[in-house]
Amino acid sequence: MALQQRTGIPEELNQFVVCQMKNPECGTDSARRRDAPVRTECVVYNPDPAGKLAPLVIRLFHMTSAIAGVLCRDPGSDRHHFVEHRLMSFQSRPHVCALLVAAALVVGGATPGFAQSPSASPSSPLQLPPAAPSTPATQSGTQTPQSPPAAGPTRSLSIDEAVQLALQQNLGIQIERLNPQLQDYTIAQALSNYTPIVGGGFNWLKQNSPPSSFLSGGSETITDERFGGQAQYAQLFPWGTNAIASFDSNRATTNNIFNSFNPTLTGNLDLTITQPLLRNFRYDTVKQQIFVGRKNREVADVDLQQSIALTTRTVKNAYWDYVYSINSLQVSRQSLDLAQESLRNTRSRVEIGTLAPIDVVQAESEVASREEAVILAEAAIGQSEDQLRSIIFDPKTPDFWTMSLQPTDTAPFQLQAVDVLGAVSRALAERTDLITARKRLEITDYNLKYFKNQTLPNLDMRFDYNSTGLGGTQLIRDPNSPVFPPPVIGEAQRTYGDLLGDVFSNAFPTYALSLNVSYPIGRSNADASLARTKVERSQSDISLRQLELQVTQQVRDAARQLVANSKRVNATGAARVLAERRLEAEEKKFEAGMSTSFEVFQAQRDLAQARSNELRAVLDYNKSQVDFETVQIAPTGGSSSFAPTTGTTTTLGGAVTGATAGAVSGATTVPQP
């Protein structure tokens, strides 16, 4: 009705909207011929599908061109200037406006991409609209990129299932699970020093020697033959005590006439105990190795917990990145469909003469740019899918590389309360890197005690004990014989049992007790090690305080990032609603002739960017929730960034901008790749 009041056009023709009149040769300072061509660009519906009005409208178009030439004429000179016109400039010439509207009917075959599209209505955050059907090919011969069909089976995957699979099959987790076992063997190796050592052996000897004097016991050859064995038990005790017990026994025969036993049986029981009294009394090398090994075992457990926490974070972030890449592909395809529709409309209008052929080049360039965005988005899906696949699956899994992963979880926006002080307290008590640093500090403290003990004098007390026994055939000689050696007048037998009785009944004992002391003169190796350990202790204490400060800062940064991303979600949601309203306003202005196709197209780009920013903000918020939980348990590394979202996502050496991404709205959904 407003158009009829301004121009005199009947109400039933309000659907025909004259956008603008353009003459590329119209200028304010250069003279042009009166008959210079006038180009009228119109965006209308097709009211004449049968083509009955086409001849009349063509004649009206020529009349409109002539009238437009008159309106462009400068009345003050002979020069004619052709300028850009809008419908609102002809309010004082209603009949001319009516002719221009009639001339617009020439464009009956052209279906506008903007006038036909309904106004975008506000929707819930990040609800992706259904994907538009893809066209097989544009008239320029370019093919719409399509996702390659999956070569293997498709597996639906939730984020919790992805985490469980990663904890079971992730190669990094499998490696970390072996480290505690390695430390167990290190401890066992140190404890083996306290393992008792049992040994023994047998020996046999036969010796022939010439007599060296008349007391050698023979005139020609002295033959000695001996056979025996020994057993030994040795053990080191935790207080540094070293005990050795041994038993040996031999049987000897000889032709020496001076021997009183032939054969001779001997047995000895020996015990030696050495006890450090100063150095190595409470702290020694073995105990130091055991203590360090046990602490390293605890550190290995903490490292495993840290690896589990970081792997869980990596899996969740990779899952959300995969969801985002799938949504980005859908957005890029929708944007490509919009560009292809615009290209078809432009070609139709060029065919009927309302647009210059050069306008097709711009539309084709836009289509090519958005085809590139689709290609990059498809490649980004494969990249993010492989990233997720390599984290959650073992490469030995069947169809590892051919399996297609289909995420089933969305990226919800659930506002989380942030307790910074509580998070900092928890991190200071439970952070794996702090626990590891404190255990390393305990090792340094023990080393300090150990090296201090090593600076003491080496004072050892030694106790020796021996019990012996004798057996065999005793030769009884005549004590009254004047002959030397006295003749044998009888024999007495002492069995091996008698010998053992003497040994274990302590019949012939021997005791010995000794103290041995040693001390270096001057600065010893232990003194230098002690001084070095003291410096390391001070350094470790300062490093621990510095780490606590860093942990506190990281937790506060993660909390700040979480709060900032929650505000980003609200801000980008408001920006998306305003962008929808702006597009709706631009379309209404376009219908009324107060806007151009370029401005409407730019408003669509801005809306697409706003929706893409909202999607990115929601996903960033979910990832910041993961980081906030993880940073209280394990170091996440990196630093928080609060740079505003520019809408440019770098993938595979290219940039996919939000302006070419199309529309994204509502809660995140997972489209089929």
Side-chain angles (χ1 to χ4, degrees):
M1 181 64 67
L3 184 61
Q4 182 180 8
Q5 293 174 355
R6 295 197 307 269
T7 64
I9 300 176
E11 180 64 28
E12 58 271 13
L13 295 181
N14 283 351
Q15 57 180 321
F16 307 107
V17 181
V18 179
C19 294
Q20 60 186 354
M21 298 178 62
K22 294 183 180 178
N23 188 336
E25 300 188 17
C26 188
T28 58
D29 297 327
S30 59
R32 293 289 183 269
R33 293 185 296 105
R34 181 179 180 84
D35 58 347
V38 177
R39 182 174 56 142
T40 304
E41 178 180 345
C42 303
V43 181
V44 297
Y45 284 96
N46 183 10
D48 184 29
K52 298 179 179 180
L53 299 179
L56 176 61
V57 172
I58 291 175
R59 290 195 296 272
L60 290 177
F61 172 74
H62 292 297
M63 294 173 59
T64 304
S65 300
I67 295 173
V70 172
L71 295 176
C72 292
R73 181 176 180 179
D74 186 353
S77 66
D78 293 334
R79 294 178 299 174
H80 304 281
H81 306 283
F82 292 86
V83 297
E84 184 182 78
H85 290 275
R86 298 180 184 272
L87 182 60
M88 296 300 296
S89 65
F90 301 122
Q91 294 185 8
S92 62
R93 300 177 176 84
H95 299 291
V96 175
C97 292
L99 289 175
L100 291 176
V101 172
L105 297 177
V106 180
V107 203
T111 303
F114 306 123
Q116 293 186 21
S117 60
S119 301
S121 59
S123 56
S124 58
L126 296 179
Q127 179 66 44
L128 284 175
S134 58
T135 56
T138 63
Q139 294 182 11
S140 61
T142 56
Q143 182 70 32
T144 302
Q146 302 291 333
S147 297
T154 299
R155 174 164 183 169
S156 298
L157 189 69
S158 68
I159 192 169
D160 292 334
E161 292 173 344
V163 171
Q164 292 300 323
L165 286 172
L167 296 182
Q168 296 172 4
Q169 303 185 31
N170 181 265
L171 296 181
I173 295 293
Q174 296 182 31
I175 293 173
E176 287 296 332
R177 284 199 176 100
L178 296 177
N179 286 333
Q181 299 182 29
L182 294 177
Q183 295 302 324
D184 287 338
Y185 288 117
T186 301
I187 297 173
Q189 184 178 3
L191 289 173
S192 65
N193 290 280
Y194 295 137
T195 302
I197 300 176
V198 178
F202 297 94
N203 58 83
W204 173 81
L205 173 68
K206 183 176 182 180
Q207 181 180 10
N208 295 319
S209 59
S212 58
S213 66
F214 71 95
L215 297 177
S216 297
S219 58
E220 295 182 358
T221 301
I222 306 300
T223 301
D224 296 317
E225 186 174 357
R226 185 171 56 214
F227 175 79
Q230 66 279 347
Q232 179 176 291
Y233 177 92
Q235 185 175 2
L236 177 66
F237 294 92
W239 291 100
T241 304
N242 189 12
I244 301 175
S246 62
F247 177 80
D248 65 85
S249 180
N250 293 281
R251 180 181 185 278
T253 58
T254 183
N255 60 358
N256 191 325
I257 61 175
F258 293 111
N259 274 13
S260 297
F261 282 82
N262 192 20
T264 304
L265 302 178
T266 58
N268 293 279
L269 177 64
D270 295 284
L271 177 64
T272 301
I273 299 176
T274 303
Q275 174 63 54
L277 300 180
L278 294 177
R279 185 190 300 176
N280 297 326
F281 177 65
R282 296 185 61 185
Y283 305 96
D284 58 15
T285 303
V286 176
K287 284 185 281 190
Q288 189 261 354
Q289 293 176 354
I290 295 174
F291 183 86
V292 172
R294 288 173 175 170
K295 288 300 175 182
N296 287 335
R297 174 62 167 81
E298 296 175 1
V299 170
D301 290 336
V302 174
D303 290 342
L304 178 59
Q305 297 175 5
Q306 175 175 311
S307 180
I308 291 175
L310 294 180
T311 301
T312 301
R313 169 182 178 260
T314 303
V315 170
K316 290 182 177 180
N317 287 341
Y319 188 92
W320 295 134
D321 286 337
Y322 186 38
V323 171
Y324 178 76
S325 64
I326 293 176
N327 290 329
S328 296
L329 175 61
Q330 180 179 352
V331 167
S332 299
R333 285 175 173 171
Q334 292 173 348
S335 179
L336 176 61
D337 292 339
L338 182 61
Q340 290 173 339
E341 181 70 19
S342 178
L343 176 60
R344 288 192 296 270
N345 295 336
T346 301
R347 284 200 174 120
S348 299
R349 294 161 67 182
V350 168
E351 290 176 358
I352 62 176
T354 59
L355 285 181
I358 192 64
D359 291 331
V360 178
V361 176
Q362 180 181 4
E364 289 178 342
S365 174
E366 193 70 26
V367 170
S369 176
R370 299 191 188 187
E371 284 178 345
E372 180 192 12
V374 171
I375 294 172
L376 293 176
E378 289 177 342
I381 286 182
Q383 190 178 46
S384 58
E385 184 181 27
D386 284 348
Q387 172 101 21
L388 181 61
R389 185 199 322 274
S390 62
I391 297 174
I392 65 177
F393 288 121
D394 191 310
K396 296 181 180 179
T397 303
D399 301 317
F400 177 78
W401 290 113
T402 59
M403 181 189 306
S404 177
L405 303 180
Q406 181 62 42
T408 59
D409 288 342
T410 61
F413 175 61
Q414 298 177 353
L415 192 62
Q416 174 182 349
V418 180
D419 182 8
V420 179
L421 295 180
V424 169
S425 299
R426 181 190 176 192
L428 293 177
E430 300 180 7
R431 267 280 288 256
T432 54
D433 51 347
L434 285 176
I435 295 176
T436 299
R438 294 187 181 109
K439 292 188 180 297
R440 299 293 185 193
L441 192 60
E442 293 177 9
I443 294 177
T444 303
D445 289 338
Y446 192 91
N447 288 336
L448 191 63
K449 297 176 182 178
Y450 168 72
F451 287 118
K452 185 176 181 180
N453 176 268
Q454 294 302 300
T455 60
L456 298 175
N458 188 12
L459 178 61
D460 296 338
M461 180 182 68
R462 176 170 176 168
F463 172 75
D464 292 286
Y465 167 79
N466 174 266
S467 178
T468 186
L470 184 63
T473 301
Q474 183 178 9
L475 302 178
I476 302 175
R477 299 180 182 275
D478 185 3
N480 299 320
S481 174
V483 181
F484 182 81
V488 176
I489 61 175
E491 294 181 353
Q493 297 293 332
R494 285 186 58 83
T495 63
Y496 194 74
D498 297 331
L499 181 147
L500 294 178
D502 291 342
V503 170
F504 292 104
S505 65
N506 199 24
F508 305 98
T510 301
Y511 303 97
L513 184 64
S514 61
L515 288 175
N516 301 312
V517 61
S518 63
Y519 189 77
I521 299 176
R523 191 176 184 87
S524 65
N525 183 34
D527 293 329
S529 299
L530 177 62
R532 177 183 175 86
T533 306
K534 288 181 179 179
V535 176
E536 290 177 350
R537 177 62 173 81
S538 300
Q539 185 182 44
S540 299
D541 185 64
I542 298 174
S543 299
L544 179 60
R545 290 191 297 163
Q546 181 185 24
L547 183 58
E548 290 175 346
L549 178 62
Q550 293 174 353
V551 168
T552 303
Q553 182 179 0
Q554 291 173 5
V555 174
R556 291 174 61 87
D557 286 345
R560 191 177 297 110
Q561 183 75 28
L562 182 61
V563 174
N565 284 334
S566 66
K567 295 179 179 179
R568 276 182 57 205
V569 173
N570 296 330
T572 54
R576 187 258 309 167
V577 173
L578 294 175
E580 289 174 345
R581 293 178 181 175
R582 176 174 175 266
L583 176 60
E584 183 179 1
E586 286 294 336
E587 289 179 342
K588 290 181 179 179
K589 289 169 61 179
F590 181 80
E591 293 173 359
M594 300 174 61
S595 180
T596 64
S597 59
F598 174 79
E599 291 171 342
V600 176
F601 192 70
Q602 185 61 43
Q604 288 184 342
R605 285 185 175 183
D606 293 341
L607 176 59
Q609 182 65 69
R611 289 172 172 172
S612 179
N613 290 345
E614 186 180 16
L615 172 62
R616 182 76 262 176
V618 172
L619 294 177
D620 286 346
Y621 179 77
N622 283 275
K623 294 173 72 173
S624 62
Q625 282 183 318
V626 175
D627 290 343
F628 183 66
E629 291 297 326
T630 306
V631 79
Q632 302 177 50
I633 303 174
T636 56
S639 59
S640 300
S641 174
F642 297 96
T645 303
T646 61
T648 300
T649 304
T650 302
T651 54
L652 298 175
V656 181
T657 62
T660 61
V664 183
S665 64
T668 304
T669 59
V670 182
Q672 296 291 335

